[in-house]
Amino acid sequence: MIASSIEDVAAAANVSTATVSRAIRGLPRVSPQTRARILAIATEMGYVASSAASGLATGRTRTIGVLAPYVSRWFFSRAIEGVDLVLQQNQYNLMLINLGGYGGGRERLFEHTMLRKQIDALVVLCLALLPSELEHLHLTEIPLIAVGGPVKGFHQVCIDDYQAAKLATQHLIELGHQRIAQVLGEDKNELNFEVPKLRDKAFEETLVNSGLRFRPEWEVDGEFTVAGGVSAARRLFDAPGEQPTAIFCASDEMALGVMMEAQRRGIRVPQDLSVIGIDNHEFSAAAGLTTVAQDPVEQGRLAAEMLLNELAGKADAVRSVAAPFQLVKRGSTAAPLA
Amino acid sequence: MIASSIEDVAAAANVSTATVSRAIRGLPRVSPQTRARILAIATEMGYVASSAASGLATGRTRTIGVLAPYVSRWFFSRAIEGVDLVLQQNQYNLMLINLGGYGGGRERLFEHTMLRKQIDALVVLCLALLPSELEHLHLTEIPLIAVGGPVKGFHQVCIDDYQAAKLATQHLIELGHQRIAQVLGEDKNELNFEVPKLRDKAFEETLVNSGLRFRPEWEVDGEFTVAGGVSAARRLFDAPGEQPTAIFCASDEMALGVMMEAQRRGIRVPQDLSVIGIDNHEFSAAAGLTTVAQDPVEQGRLAAEMLLNELAGKADAVRSVAAPFQLVKRGSTAAPLA
DNA sequence: CTGTTAGCGCGTTCAC
DNA sequence: GTGAACGCGCTAACAG
C-alpha cells in the first residue's frame, strides 16, 4: 500500500502516468473529474512521488541548505527556525550543514555535499568562508544568501552591527558611565566572521568620540559564550586598580556570564555595575539584562522567502536587507552610584 | 568544469561509465592504473555524482532525518549536533524536520515528506507521536530510533528519567530538606512526551518514600523554559504561608529561571533556598546550578551510529540503550539553615 | 483534455 | 578487468 509508483496509480485510474503527474502536481490540462479520481486513488494507495526521481527529471530538489557554524547557539538555532518556518509553508525541505562538528574535512563538505545538486539554494549563517569555498559555492550557481553577518560577495540579511554596538555603548554613556569595559568575542576557530570586529570598533569609536578614555586592559575576550563571559568578568574583577562601572558585552550570552560572576562576588547589578549585551537572548528577559535586541527568526524567515522567490523565477528577489534592532532597557543598567 | 556527468568523465578517460562508477566508489574489478587515472580526471573536472540519480538507482539517499519538537532548546540542538557528528564522518546528510514551527499541517509532513523516500533512517527527538504518525513511520520500513525519551514501539537512547529525578530529589532530602517544592514541565502543545511525567512521578514517590509530605500546592508548571521557571518561582514565592527550603526543577532551564527570580527578591541561594535541576545545560556551570547531568550530544551520536550500522546491514544494530546521568554538585544546593 | 515517448544520470547485471 | 544495455520513477515535449 505504500511502495507504489506512479505507474500503479496510473493503472488503477486507467490513465497515463503523465496525467497522474499533472493531476497530482496541480497542473492544468486535466479535467476536474479525472483529477479528483486520480487524487482519490493516489491518496488511498498512499502514493507519494519519489523525490529522487522527480529531482532527476526536474533538476530541482525542493531542499534548501542551511550552513551554520554551530547549531546549539541562540542566534543560529533561532535563525534556523526562521528559515524552517518558510520552508515548511512551501513544502521545501531543510538540509542542515553544520560546520561546527567538522573535523578537518571541511573542504570535502564543499566539494561534495554542496555540489551534488542536493540543494536548490543555500543560507549561510554568519560564517567566514574561505576563498576556495566561496568559489565553489558560486560555481554551483544556486541562489545564495547570508544571514547574521556579511559574507563577501553575498547578499545578506543582518543588523548593522556597528550601529547596534554604538547604541549599546551610548546607552551606558548617557547614563553617566565614564569607566566602561568591553567583553568581546574573538575569532577563534575561523568559524567566525566580521561581526565581532564591527562591534568592537563601534565600541571604541563611540567611547573616544564621547571624550572617554579607551583602555585596552578593559577589553577582554568572552568567546561569545556564557563560560567565556564568566572568565572575562573574573579577569576584569581580579585586575588591580580602578574598576569599571559598566561593561558592554558583544553578546547577551557573555553578558549573562558577567552578571553571574558579578552576583557570585556580591557585586550588585546595576548599583555597582551596569551590564549591557546585544541579541535579546531567550534568557535575557528572565535575567533582567538590558540589551540591543535583534530577531534571528525574522532574519531567517526573510532570507528564506527571498530565496524561494528567486527560485520561483522572480528576478533579483534576493537582495541585501538591514534587519531592525532596538534598545531594550531592563534592570541591568543604571546610572553609576558615584 | 562543474556541471559534468559521469559520461563526461568516462569520455575523458576513454572508459565506460560503468568503470568510472566502479572506480569512484572504490569497488573492485578496476585495475589500479585505470582507477588512478579516472580519479585524477574526475577530481580535475570537479565531478560529483548526482545524488538524485544515484538515489534513484540505488534506492538510498544517504540522508538521515532528524525529527525534533524544537531546534532552539538545549537538549534538542545538542542532540542534533551529536547526530550530525556521526553523519558527517560517514558522508551522510542531515535533514532537519522541525515540528515546532508546524502550523497545523503536521500530518501532511508525515504523509509527504517522510514518505517520499527522502531519508534512509529517522531519529525522533523525544516527541510524542500520534498513532497515525507512528503507523506512517513504520510503513516506511526505514530504521527508526528515539532519543531523549521513549516513543512507543521505538528503540531508544535516553536516560532513565525516573532514576534521574529520584537522584535529584534524594540529594535534597539527604541535605536535610523537608519542605521541597517542584517545578515541572507540563504537556502543553502535544509536542511533548512522557519524560515530564516520569520525573514528576519520581519526585512524588521519592518524597513520600522518605516520609516527607507531598504538597500539591508546591507543584507548579514551568513549561520547560526559563521564563516558565521565573513565573513558577513567583507563584511559589507569592503564596502565603510556609515557604519551601528547596525546589526540584525538572529541567535546568526552569531551575535557572527560579534562581533568577530568587535573586531578584533577595532570596539567597543556597542559604535560603536550594535549587536543583536536570540536564546540565550549558549555562548551569556558569550559574553554579547543581544538577543531574546528561549528555544529549552523546545520545545523538550513539543513535546515529546504530542507525548507520543498521543501514550497513548489521542485524539488530538498533537497540535500546540507557544513557548515563550523574549528580553534579555545585553551589545552588546546601543544607537548610533552620 | 489525454497519451506516447524520450530522456534525467547513475548503478548494475550480464557478456566479453 | 572492462563495456553495453537496461532500469530506477518521474517530468517534459509533442501528438493526438
Side-chain angles (χ1 to χ4, degrees):
Chain A
M1 188 73 90
I2 272 290
S4 49
S5 82
I6 198 170
E7 288 201 25
D8 305 327
V9 180
N14 266 318
V15 292
S16 72
T17 60
T19 304
V20 174
S21 179
R22 284 189 287 252
I24 289 184
R25 294 189 300 152
L27 297 183
R29 304 188 165 189
V30 185
S31 78
Q33 303 92 303
T34 25
R35 186 189 303 273
R37 186 161 47 88
I38 292 174
L39 251 37
I41 293 177
T43 304
E44 199 211 342
M45 297 178 74
Y47 170 74
V48 185
S50 148
S51 59
S54 72
L56 224 204
T58 61
R60 287 274 176 109
T61 62
R62 288 198 83 81
T63 297
I64 303 292
V66 177
L67 184 56
Y70 304 98
V71 358
S72 66
R73 292 201 188 160
W74 178 77
F75 184 89
F76 306 110
S77 59
R78 298 298 284 172
I80 291 170
E81 290 185 333
V83 171
D84 177 70
L85 222 52
V86 176
L87 298 191
Q88 287 199 28
Q89 285 169 356
N90 294 276
Q91 261 93 270
Y92 265 75
N93 296 119
L94 163 17
M95 187 150 122
L96 183 61
I97 309 165
N98 174 28
L99 239 38
Y102 225 76
R106 172 168 166 168
E107 51 201 62
R108 193 202 290 145
L109 184 62
F110 280 83
E111 294 177 5
H112 287 240
T113 309
M114 303 262 84
L115 297 175
R116 286 195 79 190
K117 307 168 192 76
Q118 298 191 112
I119 52 177
D120 295 342
L122 179 70
V123 178
V124 177
L125 297 187
C126 47
L127 194 63
L129 296 173
L130 307 176
S132 68
E133 295 172 343
L134 288 172
E135 188 188 356
H136 268 298
L137 287 179
H138 282 118
L139 279 176
T140 62
E141 292 183 340
I142 59 177
L144 303 168
I145 194 163
V147 170
V151 174
K152 198 171 45 183
F154 276 51
H155 283 290
Q156 57 193 253
V157 178
C158 60
I159 61 171
D160 181 331
D161 282 283
Y162 186 95
Q163 293 302 328
K166 182 178 170 186
L167 180 58
T169 310
Q170 276 180 332
H171 172 63
L172 295 177
I173 295 173
E174 280 163 13
L175 284 172
H177 290 279
Q178 310 215 2
R179 303 202 306 274
I180 309 177
Q182 183 191 194
V183 175
L184 42 73
E186 280 180 354
D187 192 334
K188 280 292 226 247
N189 37 15
E190 308 174 23
L191 285 180
N192 242 313
F193 45 115
E194 236 181 306
V195 171
K197 290 177 204 152
L198 284 172
R199 296 185 182 174
D200 179 29
K201 184 157 177 268
F203 171 74
E204 293 186 20
E205 294 185 352
T206 305
L207 224 58
V208 172
N209 290 343
S210 302
L212 296 178
R213 194 172 128 216
F214 167 68
R215 315 194 194 189
E217 71 274 19
W218 279 0
E219 183 164 290
V220 292
D221 181 22
E223 295 170 344
F224 275 115
T225 64
V226 206
V230 168
S231 80
R234 282 191 189 136
R235 270 168 284 153
L236 284 173
F237 298 154
D238 286 341
E242 220 174 18
Q243 283 287 311
T245 61
I247 303 183
F248 160 68
C249 302
S251 84
D252 277 10
E253 303 203 27
M254 297 190 290
L256 292 166
V258 169
M259 285 177 76
M260 288 172 182
E261 182 61 23
Q263 186 198 352
R264 205 161 6 236
R265 298 189 178 216
I267 298 172
R268 295 166 306 164
V269 173
Q271 296 91 334
D272 306 326
L273 180 73
S274 282
V275 179
I276 190 169
I278 294 183
D279 274 349
N280 201 24
H281 186 284
E282 185 197 346
F283 281 32
S284 301
L289 173 66
T290 296
T291 192
V292 174
Q294 67 168 324
D295 186 350
V297 176
E298 196 50 38
Q299 293 174 34
R301 182 208 287 263
L302 184 56
E305 268 166 2
M306 296 197 289
L307 286 180
L308 293 190
N309 282 336
E310 183 92 20
L311 289 175
K314 291 185 193 138
D316 300 315
V318 174
R319 306 168 290 107
S320 285
V321 174
F325 60 89
Q326 62 180 343
L327 181 66
V328 176
K329 292 184 195 173
R330 289 197 270 246
S332 70
T333 50
L337 275 191
Chain B
M1 188 73 90
I2 274 290
S4 49
S5 84
I6 198 171
E7 288 201 25
D8 306 326
V9 180
N14 267 317
V15 293
S16 72
T17 60
T19 304
V20 174
S21 178
R22 284 189 286 252
I24 287 184
R25 295 190 303 149
L27 297 182
R29 303 189 166 189
V30 185
S31 78
Q33 303 93 302
T34 22
R35 185 189 303 275
R37 188 162 46 89
I38 292 175
L39 252 37
I41 292 177
T43 305
E44 199 212 340
M45 297 179 71
Y47 170 75
V48 185
S50 145
S51 60
S54 70
L56 225 203
T58 61
R60 288 272 176 110
T61 62
R62 287 197 85 79
T63 298
I64 304 292
V66 176
L67 184 55
Y70 305 97
V71 358
S72 66
R73 291 202 189 160
W74 178 77
F75 184 90
F76 306 111
S77 60
R78 297 298 284 171
I80 291 170
E81 289 186 333
V83 171
D84 176 70
L85 223 51
V86 176
L87 297 192
Q88 287 200 28
Q89 284 169 356
N90 294 275
Q91 261 93 271
Y92 265 76
N93 297 120
L94 163 17
M95 187 152 123
L96 183 60
I97 308 164
N98 174 28
L99 239 38
Y102 225 76
R106 173 167 165 167
E107 52 200 60
R108 191 202 290 146
L109 184 62
F110 281 83
E111 293 177 6
H112 287 239
T113 308
M114 303 261 82
L115 297 176
R116 284 195 82 188
K117 306 166 192 83
Q118 297 191 114
I119 53 177
D120 295 342
L122 179 69
V123 178
V124 177
L125 297 186
C126 46
L127 195 60
L129 297 173
L130 308 176
S132 68
E133 295 172 343
L134 287 171
E135 189 188 355
H136 268 297
L137 286 179
H138 282 119
L139 280 176
T140 63
E141 292 183 339
I142 60 177
L144 302 168
I145 194 162
V147 169
V151 174
K152 198 170 45 183
F154 277 50
H155 284 290
Q156 57 193 251
V157 178
C158 59
I159 62 171
D160 182 331
D161 281 285
Y162 186 95
Q163 293 301 328
K166 182 177 169 186
L167 180 58
T169 311
Q170 276 180 332
H171 172 63
L172 295 177
I173 295 173
E174 281 163 13
L175 283 173
H177 291 278
Q178 308 215 4
R179 304 200 306 274
I180 309 178
Q182 183 191 192
V183 175
L184 43 72
E186 279 180 354
D187 193 333
K188 280 290 223 248
N189 36 15
E190 306 175 23
L191 286 180
N192 243 312
F193 44 114
E194 235 182 306
V195 171
K197 290 178 205 152
L198 284 172
R199 296 185 183 174
D200 179 29
K201 184 156 178 268
F203 171 74
E204 293 186 21
E205 294 185 353
T206 306
L207 224 57
V208 172
N209 290 344
S210 302
L212 296 178
R213 194 173 128 215
F214 168 69
R215 316 193 193 189
E217 71 274 19
W218 279 0
E219 184 165 288
V220 292
D221 181 22
E223 296 171 343
F224 275 114
T225 64
V226 207
V230 169
S231 80
R234 282 192 188 135
R235 271 169 283 153
L236 284 173
F237 298 155
D238 286 342
E242 221 173 18
Q243 284 288 309
T245 62
I247 302 183
F248 160 69
C249 302
S251 83
D252 277 9
E253 304 203 26
M254 297 190 290
L256 291 167
V258 169
M259 285 177 75
M260 289 172 182
E261 183 60 22
Q263 186 199 351
R264 206 158 8 236
R265 298 189 178 217
I267 298 173
R268 295 167 305 164
V269 174
Q271 295 91 334
D272 307 326
L273 181 73
S274 282
V275 179
I276 190 169
I278 294 182
D279 273 349
N280 202 24
H281 186 284
E282 185 198 346
F283 280 33
S284 301
L289 173 66
T290 296
T291 192
V292 174
Q294 67 169 324
D295 186 349
V297 175
E298 196 51 37
Q299 293 174 33
R301 182 209 288 263
L302 184 56
E305 268 166 2
M306 296 197 290
L307 286 180
L308 292 190
N309 282 337
E310 184 93 19
L311 288 175
K314 292 186 193 138
D316 300 315
V318 174
R319 308 168 289 107
S320 286
V321 173
F325 59 88
Q326 61 181 346
L327 182 65
V328 175
K329 293 183 197 173
R330 288 196 272 245
S332 70
T333 50
L337 276 191

